[in-house]
Amino acid sequence: MRILHTSDWHLGRTFHGRVLDDAHAAFADHLVELVTAESVDAVLVAGDVYDRAIPPNDAVALLDETLRRLTERTRVVLTPGNHDSARRLGFAADLMREGLIIRARTAGLDRGIILPDANGNEAAIVHALPYLDPDAAREILPPLLTERLGEETPTRHTAGEDQDENRDAASHPVQPERPRLSRSHEAVVSAALRLVAADLDRLRAGRSRRLPSLLMVHAFVVGGEASESERDIRVGGVDSVPSGVFTTLGGSPLAERSGGLDYVALGHLHRPQELTRPTGPRLVYSGSPLPFSFDEAEGARNAATKSSVLLDLGAHGVTGLERIPTPVLHQVRTLTGTMPELLSPAFDNATGAWVRVILQGGRPPGALATLKDRFPSLLAFQHEAPTRTARERIAVTAVADPLRITEDFFDDVCGRAPEPSERGVLRSAYESALASARSER
């Protein structure tokens, strides 16, 4: 069986103010072509489909069209991430046709999906976890753990709730205590995995051959390398999930008997990467299909090419894994150098790119305007002033010489003292300001 794993589309996102709709549309075309060319049996989209909870209309239209095209060719399993609104993304999920499965409700995370191969034979089991927000999941999961596993979760309080209970009972009646998990991603993901273990054990029992098992989850797994563009999902100081929980299935006593997971399709981190472990399932981030920051774009030209994961599965698990690069519609460059270097022919090939400039050395007056003329799509700029020996600083007081203060400011900004002609301009401006002030008295 052949699976395509992707995540973190972030439809509706911009890159330093530049709209990415055309790049997202090109990725959608690529995805549809890839599914056809590689005879993909199912596409797994592991969260952050949209960039925000209420996406722009164009992003909704693109997702609608992309899913229509994909489901004409294969099956799609989709889950929300921390950027998505699970309720909006999962609207009418129970009414969807067989080709599109959206798992957006925490209460249904242990309903395994059995995917068929091209011949219609049962070929793989997928458990699709929506993003588990600890504040909500820590209350939703305990009743499920009790009902399905017989687990009893202790009651817990937050600091704010403890304060509420000490207030006047007449105006602030004490709420009944409810079982809650610890307020962390590790706790809620581990609880979800124990539910998955029981369902996996049930689905595999009595079969004549083993079905490989895949898990979709949107989380920051320990050992993963983040980039500049992920949104912080830290809650209560704990935002990560240890990789070992996927081997033990959250500490489930059924982990071994269930046969365990074979592949974990991870979403959230935008760098494509695989977390290495001596045992257990393969833990793979597909990464985002587009770069959303300059450091991601720089990595994409090196070892972290933006891609989707093409996965081959057999009865005993993963038999092949290949990263398929996604199309690059916009060239993104970080240019570093002095002003003469940046204006030289060496950077002529970057004039059409989306550019971040790191200016080294002196910053002459009008440098930013000159660089914008040179690079019309200059989106970010920073100046690394030359290291200078310490010099005496003049306190800005009523008795300080305004021209000397101005020259010091010029030195700090431009990295050099003003030339005699520039001093003349500064003096002329100062004298003009004095004359104007006297005439208004």
Side-chain angles (χ1 to χ4, degrees):
M1 186 177 194
R2 178 159 280 186
I3 300 287
L4 188 65
H5 164 206
T6 178
S7 72
D8 296 274
W9 294 1
H10 289 275
L11 300 179
R13 187 153 185 157
T14 60
F15 186 99
H16 289 264
R18 295 298 175 98
V19 175
L20 291 171
D21 289 355
D22 57 347
H24 273 126
F27 167 68
D29 291 340
H30 159 78
L31 208 59
V32 172
E33 292 168 4
L34 183 61
V35 163
T36 303
E38 297 293 341
S39 302
V40 170
D41 296 300
V43 176
L44 309 184
V45 188
D48 282 354
V49 181
Y50 292 126
D51 188 57
R52 51 187 183 272
I54 304 178
N57 290 337
D58 288 345
V60 176
L62 179 58
L63 179 63
D64 180 64
E65 175 67 9
T66 303
L67 293 178
R68 181 192 65 77
R69 296 169 67 193
L70 287 174
T71 53
E72 288 174 350
R73 296 161 171 82
T74 188
R75 285 175 171 78
V76 178
V77 184
L78 183 149
T79 60
N82 57 298
H83 280 245
D84 300 305
S85 164
R87 184 176 294 276
R88 290 186 178 89
L89 193 64
F91 171 74
D94 292 340
L95 305 177
M96 300 292 183
R97 54 186 172 145
E98 185 181 0
L100 175 60
I101 302 169
I102 300 177
R103 286 293 167 84
R105 297 178 183 174
T106 302
L109 57 79
D110 60 342
R111 290 185 295 133
I113 304 160
I114 298 182
L115 295 176
D117 60 19
N119 298 317
N121 300 315
E122 295 181 342
I125 301 169
V126 175
H127 285 90
L129 274 58
Y131 170 68
L132 297 174
D133 175 66
D135 282 324
R138 68 193 293 246
E139 295 195 16
I140 296 172
L141 289 171
L144 300 178
L145 293 169
T146 300
E147 175 189 344
R148 298 174 191 180
L149 305 181
E151 283 190 24
E152 294 297 331
T153 306
T155 57
R156 298 176 185 274
H157 301 281
T158 64
E161 290 166 342
D162 291 337
Q163 293 171 5
D164 286 344
E165 292 182 359
N166 292 328
R167 296 175 184 169
D168 179 10
S171 58
H172 298 278
V174 176
Q175 298 296 317
E177 293 184 349
R178 293 186 299 251
R180 289 184 177 92
L181 296 165
S182 297
R183 193 167 177 261
S184 71
H185 278 95
E186 178 180 357
V188 297
V189 170
S190 294
L193 288 172
R194 293 196 295 277
L195 291 166
V196 167
D199 190 60
L200 186 59
D201 182 56
R202 177 185 66 82
L203 291 173
R204 277 179 169 157
R207 292 184 179 274
S208 58
R209 65 185 183 88
R210 181 182 185 275
L211 295 183
S213 169
L214 300 94
L215 177 78
M216 298 169 64
V217 62
H218 196 87
F220 187 173
V221 179
V222 173
E225 183 181 357
S227 61
E228 292 177 351
S229 62
E230 289 100 4
R231 178 178 296 168
D232 190 6
I233 57 173
R234 186 174 296 107
V235 176
V238 180
D239 66 341
S240 58
V241 178
S243 59
V245 302
F246 299 104
T247 301
T248 66
L249 288 173
S252 171
L254 298 173
E256 185 174 354
R257 194 178 82 180
S258 71
L261 303 170
D262 295 294
Y263 182 88
V264 180
L266 292 166
H268 179 59
L269 297 186
H270 295 171
R271 293 183 185 277
Q273 56 197 292
E274 179 171 357
L275 310 185
T276 56
R277 283 184 57 79
T279 59
R282 296 186 72 163
L283 307 176
V284 179
Y285 282 101
S286 66
S288 61
L290 307 179
F292 299 124
S293 64
F294 279 100
D295 75 319
E296 281 184 40
E298 292 299 305
R301 286 197 297 278
N302 299 307
T305 301
K306 293 298 183 180
S307 58
S308 301
V309 180
L310 191 61
L311 189 69
D312 287 309
L313 296 170
H316 300 290
V318 178
T319 59
L321 189 153
E322 180 184 2
R323 287 197 176 271
I324 308 297
T326 56
V328 178
L329 200 64
H330 300 288
Q331 187 185 19
V332 179
R333 297 279 302 275
T334 295
L335 312 178
T336 303
T338 64
M339 198 66 182
E341 289 170 344
L342 292 168
L343 298 178
S344 73
F347 290 99
D348 285 350
N349 61 355
T351 55
W354 290 358
V355 167
R356 171 176 63 179
V357 167
I358 301 175
L359 175 61
Q360 297 177 324
R363 177 179 176 176
L368 185 54
T370 301
L371 290 169
K372 285 182 176 179
D373 287 339
R374 165 74 161 150
F375 307 108
S377 294
L378 193 157
L379 305 183
F381 173 81
Q382 68 186 72
H383 178 218
E384 294 181 352
T387 304
R388 300 190 299 277
T389 57
R391 56 183 172 77
E392 180 184 358
R393 296 277 181 174
I394 297 177
V396 180
T397 65
V399 298
D401 180 2
L403 284 174
R404 176 67 186 280
I405 294 171
T406 305
E407 290 176 5
D408 279 357
F409 177 77
F410 185 103
D411 193 358
D412 281 337
V413 171
C414 299
R416 62 175 178 81
E419 301 288 343
S421 60
E422 293 165 335
R423 284 195 178 92
V425 172
L426 293 174
R427 178 173 294 279
S428 176
Y430 173 58
E431 291 173 350
S432 177
L434 284 179
S436 176
R438 293 191 191 101
S439 66
E440 292 177 358
R441 291 177 184 173

